[in-house]
Structure formats: structure tokens, C-alpha cells
């Protein structure tokens, strides 16, 4: 196969002319023949004025270019879609697959021997890894890194666990308009991703565990000089991979590496979104994530990272305690240390040089975990025939076995309109139910699973209730919240059959979620459901593609035709 600039020539029916034309045009940028004859390392640019999490991307790119050139290769930067969590309508998840398609096709379409993808804000790393796996070119992933922490009235603050906690206090009348505005200016004090164990941090840690990024790259704070030195080193590694033509993602992603990623996901108190993304990534390889096996791992793997929302610290504390290498060292035989990384080293080599930090308490030893079991449990039952997920590490222990009366909201809009109605028939023992918030129903499976506690209950001191839905939840959120109920209600899942006043039983120890209504009654309700029709929003464009091909949460919410095997 041709290398460098000769790769993937534009089709004019004359290869010689195609190369001649390509060189003629690129020389307009001032490149010499010497530069153009080098191996090429493509570098994605996801800088955007709409994406503060990626605010350091220009500096990272400069550092990567330096590393590539110091190694004798040629860096070429190209733009792709950038998605910022709070600037994506209707949701960032709706756009993840579009970014994955854009990134994959740009990697394929343009000549490069290796690629560096730089991302971080929630859905960007998953999209970029899905793309890299499908393109299967040697790839180095660089997370942009977490923000540094904020401070307010002597308290350490972080986006966005504390956004939710303090907003909850504001709703309960515990803090006033002036204070909530002050807090607003202190929650995100630098560029970078949310500095708690949200989806961005989760995916960065998983990426490191998969061997796709350099050791410590998940945790170095975004503004730190070390972040840019790591980017320079990543550029060097990418240049070496361009020459060696490997390792490719298909060589690094094995059953062992996917198992390692799941162990790390459980041990960090990771985001439930991480499970969906890892499933989507695996489905682009010949391997699979099995929900039962993931749940079994959760019974074996303790939560060792003391980070919000499951614990107390923030990403910079995790970093200064030794980062993912130290975590993997503590996990010991739960990690397969023979798994390979982009540098050609194994995780055994990585763990061998993990820093020992005396007195640190962000990474716990196995005999003193934050939680004895892993972050997440997978539930089944007549409400979730294909599964549901609960982040038990961030739930109220007393609600993990609970039976309560259903209070049903038909959609996110309905919930928004009625949840604070003083006349809403709801009490603290009820189970709040949200439907039509799944991959297809909302669309884009919004992070609406963290239903707010109805104001009248919040003001009475209620901090948590059992909440269930086919939606997702931000990794930064907390509470006794059952998510990703599959199949979703919009495609006829049993969540569509729940009525106000039905009893729902959650039993996390038994891994069950059930609607206590007899089967004959449920059949009657199913027969009365209106037939599905195409919603207006899905009649054209990307929305149409999304509506027609989006898979359910247990399959990673990828498009059906983007999986490795293509459309069935
Ligand atoms: Fe970008 Fe949280 S908003 S990572």
C-alpha cells in the first residue's frame, strides 16, 4: 500500500496525474518536497468557540506537531466536528455518531500513516475511538484533560456534581439568587473537561486502560505544562507508529483489553454512559461487551477511586496520587497486564513505574475500598427485558431495595411542566417514572434520568428517591436512579405500559426491576398502545438517518450499519 502523500489518491482515472495535482496544490501551503516525502501524521482539530472543554486544543496541537517533527515525520492538522455537552441540541448523544462518521471518513479520505485524535468533552472521545477503530489506522488518543477545581466559601467545587448539588439546594430554598450566581462563576474555573468522574473522565481513563493513550494522559489537568509535554510525547509515538505501520487499534483491542476497560470502569466509579460507549466501540471490532459479564465483574471489582460523585476528590487529586497506572497497580490480578499499548509496552511495564505517593487517599488499596462492589449493576425484570443500569456507588443504600407507587411522566417536557406542581400527587416513597426519553424517543437519549426531586418534597428535606427511565444520566450525577431501560418505551418497551399508582419493585441485590402488575393486564395495556408512526422531526436529513438506524442502549446506540458487520 502507498505511504504518505501517495495514499488514497483522488480518482481522476490517472494515478500519476492525481499525485501531480495533489502535490501542486499542497505546495501552495509552502511545503517542500522533503516535507511532503515524509510519513504523515494526521491530527484532528476539535477546537470550537462553542466548546470550552477543548479550549487548550490549539496548544495541544502545537505540542503534538513538535513531537511529530522532532521524530522526522510530517504533521497535518484537519478539522472535524466538535461537540460540547451543554451546547448540543437536542443532546450530545444525538450527534456522537455523526462525529464518528465524520472523523472516520476524514481519516480514510486524506493521506496519513497515523492519526492523533484530540478530544475530551463527553461524546467526543467515544466518537473518535469508534472512528479510529473502524478506520483501523495507527492511532494515538489525547484527552484534553480535566479542569482544575473551583472554590466557594472555603469549599472545593467541581463541574458538574456540585452544579447539581448546589442547584438542588437553590431549588430547596437553601441558597439564594445572589449566591447561586456567584457559584455559577466558580464551577468551571479553567478550560478542560469536567473534573469529577463524569463521562469525560471515565472515557479518558478507559482509553488509557485500553492502551490507546499514553500513561497518565487521562488525568493531567488541562492547563498544566505536563499536559503539553505529554502531547509532545504523543506526537513522537504517533510518528513512530506511522513508520512502523502499527500497532493498529485492531491489534490493541482484544478481549483482554476490553475486560481491563470494564474493570477500570467499575473501579473508578465511572459514568453509566461509559458502558454505552464501550459497547459501541466493541461492536466496531469483532469483540462484544456482555452485560452479564460486566455485572459479574462489578461483584468482584471494588470502587477504589475516591472521586465525586461516588466519593470526595477531583481528577487533579487522582492525578497527583498516581493516576490510572497506580489504580491498575492497586487492582493487581484483576487487570490483564499482558495487554499491549500504543508504545509497544505492556500494561505490566506501565504499572511497574506507577508512582508511589505517600499519604495519598484518592486511590485506595483493595483492602480499604470506597465501595466493596463496583460502580454499576445491570438489572433485568419485566420492566427491562434487555437490561437496565444503576450506578449503585452513587445511590442511597437504603433505597437499593425499595417498592413504591409509580408517578409517571410521559416525556421530558411533561416532567418539566409538572414535577414542581404543588398539586402533583407524589410522596417520598414513590418511584418517579420517565418515559419516551430513550435513544429514539426523545431523540438522542437525553441525560434526563436524574429527575429532579419535586420541589415540595425537596423543601421538606427529601434528597433522593427511586427514579427510573429509558434516559441516560450525566456521569456527574448521583442518586438511586435506574437508567437505559431497554427496550425503550418509544419502541414498545414495557416502560410504555406503566400507569400512575402501579407498584414498582427495585432490588439491586437481586439485580431486578419489576412492575408488579399481572401479565394479563399488561397484555391488555399493550394491545391498547397506539401504533408507532414516524415523528415529524424524523422526516428529513440526519434526523431521518438517526430515527431509522439508531440501536438500543444494550447495543451501544450506534447506527445499525456502522457496526463491524454492517447492516444485518
Ligand atoms: Fe465538557 Fe463536562 S461539559 S466534559
Amino acid at each position: 500500500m502507498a505511504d504518505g502523500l501517495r495514499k488514497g489518491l483522488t480518482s481522476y482515472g490517472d494515478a500519476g496525474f492525481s499525485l501531480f495535482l495533489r502535490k501542486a496544490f499542497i505546495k501552495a501551503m509552502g511545503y517542500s518536497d522533503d516535507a511532503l516525502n515524509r510519513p504523515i501524521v494526521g491530527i484532528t482539530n476539535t477546537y470550537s468557540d462553542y466548546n470550552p472543554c477543548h479550549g487548550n486544543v490549539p496548544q495541544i496541537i502545537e505540542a503534538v506537531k513538535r513531537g511529530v517533527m522532532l521524530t522526522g515525520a510530517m504533521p497535518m492538522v484537519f478539522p472535524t466536528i466538535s461537540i460540547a455537552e451543554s451546547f448540543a441540541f437536542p443532546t450530545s448523544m444525538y450527534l456522537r455518531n455523526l462525529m464518528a462518521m465524520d472523523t472516520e471518513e476524514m481519516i480514510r479520505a486524506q493521506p496519513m500513516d497515523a492519526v492523533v485524535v484530540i478530544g475530551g468533552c463527553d461524546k467526543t472521545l467515544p466518537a473518535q475511538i469508534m472512528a479510529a477503530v473502524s478506520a483501523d489506522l495507527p492511532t494515538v488518543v489525547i484527552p484534553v484533560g480535566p479542569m482544575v477545581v473551583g472554590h466557594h466559601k472555603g469549599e472545593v467545587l467541581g463541574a458538574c456534581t456540585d452544579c447539581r448539588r448546589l442547584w438542588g439546594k437553590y431549588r430547596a430554598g437553601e441558597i439564594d439568587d445572589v449566591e447561586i450566581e456567584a457559584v455559577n462563576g466558580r464551577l468551571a474555573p479553567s478550560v478542560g473537561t469536567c473534573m469529577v468522574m463524569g463521562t469525560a473522565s471515565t472515557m479518558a481513563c478507559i482509553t488509557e486502560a485500553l492502551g490507546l493513550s499514553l500513561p497518565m494522559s487521562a488525568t493531567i489537568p488541562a492547563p498544566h505544562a505536563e499536559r503539553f509535554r505529554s502531547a509532545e510525547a504523543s506526537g513522537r509515538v504517533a510518528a513512530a507508529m506511522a513508520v512502523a505501520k502499527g500497532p493498529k487499534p485492531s491489534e490493541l483491542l482484544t478481549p483482554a483489553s476490553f475486560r481491563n476497560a470494564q474493570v477500570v470502569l467499575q473501579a473508578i466509579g465511572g459514568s453509566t454512559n461509559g458502558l454505552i460507549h464501550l459497547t459501541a466501540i466493541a461492536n466496531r471490532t469483532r469483540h462484544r461487551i456482555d452485560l452479564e459479564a460486566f455485572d459479574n465483574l462489578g461483584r468482584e471489582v471494588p470502587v477504589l477511586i475516591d472521586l465525586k460523585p461516588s466519593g470526595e476528590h477531583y481528577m487533579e487529586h487522582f492525578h497527583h496520587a498516581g493516576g490510572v497506572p497506580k489504580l491498575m497497580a492497586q487492582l493487581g490480578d484483576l487487570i490483564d497486564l499482558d495487554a499491549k499499548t500504543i508504545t509497544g509496552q505492556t500494561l505490566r511495564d506501565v504499572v511497574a513505574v506507577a508512582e508511589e505517593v505517600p499519604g495519598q487517599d484518592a486511590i485506595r488499596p483493595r483492602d480499604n475500598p470506597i465501595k466493596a462492589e463496583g460502580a454499576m449493576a445491570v438489572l433485568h425484570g419485566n420492566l427491562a427485558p434487555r437490561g437496565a443500569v444503576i450506578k449503585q456507588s452513587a445511590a442511597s443504600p437504603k433505597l437499593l431495595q425499595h417498592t413504591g407507587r409509580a408517578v409517571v411522566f410521559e416525556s421530558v417536557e411533561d416532567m418539566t411542566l409538572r414535577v414542581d406542581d404543588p398539586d402533583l400527587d407524589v410522596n417520598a416513597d414513590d418511584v418517579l417514572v420517565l418515559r419516551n426519553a430513550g435513544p429514539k424517543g426523545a431523540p438522542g437519549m437525553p441525560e434526563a434520568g436524574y429527575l429532579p426531586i419535586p420541589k415540595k418534597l425537596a423543601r421538606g428535606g427529601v434528597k433522593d428517591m427511586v427514579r427510573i427511565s429509558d434516559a441516560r444520566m450525566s456521569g456527574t450525577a448521583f442518586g438511586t436512579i435506574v437508567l437505559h431501560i431497554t427496550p425503550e418505551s418509544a419502541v414498545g418497551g414495557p416502560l410504555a405500559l406503566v400507569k400512575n399508582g402501579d407498584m414498582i419493585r427495585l432490588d439491586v441485590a437481586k439485580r431486578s426491576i419489576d412492575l408488579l402488575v399481572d401479565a394479563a393486564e399488561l397484555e391488555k395495556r399493550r394491545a391498547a398502545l397506539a401504533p408507532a408512526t414516524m415523528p415529524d422531526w424524523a422526516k428529513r436529513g440526519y434526523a431521518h438517518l438517526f430515527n431509522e438506524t439508531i440501536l438500543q442502549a444494550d447495543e451501544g446506540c450506534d447506527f445499525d450499519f456502522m457496526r463491524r458487520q454492517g447492516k444485518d
Side-chain angles (χ1 to χ4, degrees):
M1 212 228 280
D3 295 335
L5 207 70
R6 289 164 184 77
K7 279 185 86 176
L9 291 172
T10 312
S11 181
Y12 295 118
D14 176 346
F17 177 70
S18 295
L19 181 60
F20 171 77
L21 203 67
R22 175 173 284 180
K23 284 175 80 172
F25 276 97
I26 200 69
K27 281 181 176 171
M29 299 281 275
Y31 293 118
S32 65
D33 281 321
D34 180 24
L36 296 175
N37 283 329
R38 304 285 176 136
I40 297 175
V41 175
I43 304 169
T44 64
N45 184 1
T46 55
Y47 179 81
S48 159
D49 282 349
Y50 288 104
N51 195 344
C53 301
H54 291 199
N56 62 353
V57 163
Q59 262 177 292
I60 291 179
I61 287 174
E62 281 314 303
V64 175
K65 286 168 83 171
R66 193 162 62 240
V68 170
M69 287 193 279
L70 284 168
T71 317
M74 167 77 173
M76 295 195 80
V77 181
F78 62 98
T80 70
I81 294 173
S82 184
I83 308 169
E85 179 57 35
S86 54
F87 281 89
F89 176 83
T91 72
S92 59
M93 190 65 174
Y94 176 75
L95 298 168
R96 183 200 66 179
N97 297 347
L98 183 64
M99 181 172 182
M101 291 171 80
D102 170 24
T103 308
E104 176 184 340
E105 292 310 321
M106 288 299 101
I107 291 172
R108 280 189 207 288
Q110 302 167 132
M112 60 190 83
D113 301 289
V115 64
V116 177
V117 295
I118 304 166
C121 190
D122 274 35
K123 309 305 174 286
T124 57
L125 282 184
Q128 291 172 319
I129 297 170
M130 288 158 72
V133 167
S134 293
D136 205 26
L137 195 71
T139 303
V140 175
V141 182
I142 303 182
V144 295
M147 298 176 211
V148 292
V149 298
H151 297 265
H152 176 68
K153 290 191 169 169
E155 217 189 336
V156 178
L157 289 191
C160 236
T161 303
D162 297 308
C163 316
R164 294 172 204 284
R165 184 175 60 81
L166 293 166
W167 185 251
K169 280 191 164 194
Y170 174 63
R171 280 174 54 81
E174 292 171 36
I175 60 179
D176 63 17
D177 290 346
V178 175
E179 185 168 358
I180 197 73
E181 271 312 304
V183 164
N184 191 259
R186 294 171 181 172
L187 283 163
S190 76
V191 298
T193 49
C194 293
M195 63 294 227
V196 296
M197 193 49 80
T199 306
S201 304
T202 299
M203 289 312 300
C205 294
I206 283 180
T207 304
E208 205 175 310
L210 287 170
L212 296 176
S213 58
L214 286 187
M216 302 300 281
S217 64
T219 52
I220 307 166
H224 281 200
E226 192 186 350
R227 168 68 47 204
F228 307 110
R229 282 195 291 275
S230 175
E232 183 185 303
S234 298
R236 285 180 179 271
V237 170
M241 289 165 79
V243 173
K245 304 199 185 312
K248 295 176 182 169
S250 56
E251 297 166 71
L252 296 172
L253 299 182
T254 62
S257 65
F258 278 115
R259 188 179 184 282
N260 286 341
Q262 292 174 75
V263 169
V264 166
L265 177 57
Q266 293 280 20
I268 58 180
S271 162
T272 43
N273 286 317
L275 183 57
I276 294 184
H277 298 317
L278 196 58
T279 301
I281 292 166
N283 283 349
R284 288 182 173 225
T285 70
R286 56 172 62 87
H287 314 298
R288 295 289 172 269
I289 302 297
D290 178 70
L291 285 180
E292 306 322 306
F294 177 71
D295 184 70
N296 285 336
L297 272 183
R299 295 177 194 262
E300 232 186 298
V301 178
V303 177
L304 296 185
I305 300 300
D306 189 1
L307 241 70
K308 289 193 173 188
S310 300
E312 286 306 312
H313 293 297
Y314 295 85
M315 282 298 276
E316 65 187 83
H317 308 127
F318 181 17
H319 180 64
H320 297 307
V324 174
K326 181 65 182 172
L327 167 67
M328 293 195 292
Q330 300 287 50
L331 285 166
D333 60 3
L334 290 168
I335 294 284
D336 184 335
L337 294 173
D338 291 326
K340 288 244 171 17
T341 74
I342 45 171
T343 61
Q345 291 187 309
T346 61
L347 291 182
R348 190 180 312 284
D349 303 319
V350 172
V351 161
V353 293
E355 195 177 352
E356 186 59 45
V357 180
Q360 68 82 14
D361 61 353
I363 307 172
R364 297 279 192 88
R366 265 166 84 177
D367 58 9
N368 181 26
I370 298 294
K371 312 267 173 184
E373 288 199 3
M376 276 170 251
V378 177
L379 311 173
H380 282 92
N382 71 351
L383 257 180
R386 280 167 53 187
V389 173
I390 184 167
K391 188 169 181 177
Q392 54 179 344
S393 61
S396 304
K398 70 176 174 32
L399 290 175
L400 291 175
Q401 274 77 38
H402 181 82
T403 302
R405 199 179 58 133
V407 175
V408 182
F409 299 100
E410 284 301 326
S411 64
V412 177
E413 294 70 30
D414 179 42
M415 186 263 290
T416 311
L417 285 173
R418 293 197 298 120
V419 71
D420 289 335
D421 184 340
D423 295 329
L424 182 70
D425 179 13
V426 64
N427 63 59
D429 293 331
D430 290 340
V431 174
L432 302 182
V433 178
L434 171 65
R435 62 182 166 221
N436 292 310
K440 206 162 178 168
M445 211 180 177
E447 290 186 340
Y450 177 77
L451 283 83
I453 303 295
K455 222 176 220 171
K456 65 180 181 186
L457 298 180
R459 295 213 154 143
V462 176
K463 299 263 186 277
D464 193 11
M465 294 172 71
V466 174
R467 290 160 268 179
I468 74 169
S469 71
D470 44 16
R472 292 177 302 116
M473 172 175 91
S474 164
T476 64
F478 48 88
T480 312
I481 298 175
V482 177
L483 303 155
H484 311 176
I485 287 183
T486 307
E488 63 172 307
S489 54
V491 299
L495 200 61
L497 309 178
V498 184
K499 288 191 169 169
N500 279 323
D502 287 348
M503 298 304 283
I504 290 175
R505 183 178 58 213
L506 168 68
D507 189 336
V508 177
K510 290 196 175 134
R511 302 296 196 256
S512 66
I513 176 84
D514 286 295
L515 180 60
L516 306 180
V517 173
D518 69 59
E521 168 63 17
L522 291 180
E523 266 324 298
K524 231 195 294 169
R525 291 184 193 177
R526 176 169 299 288
L529 284 180
T533 53
M534 185 183 290
D536 281 349
W537 62 261
K539 291 206 167 129
R540 70 165 296 280
Y542 176 72
H544 183 73
L545 181 71
F546 186 97
N547 187 58
E548 294 292 300
T549 65
I550 189 76
L551 293 167
Q552 293 288 292
D554 60 339
E555 297 177 293
C557 298
D558 203 353
F559 294 149
D560 58 10
F561 61 94
M562 295 304 293
R563 292 171 297 176
R564 183 168 190 271
Q565 74 270 29
K567 196 150 186 134
D568 285 327

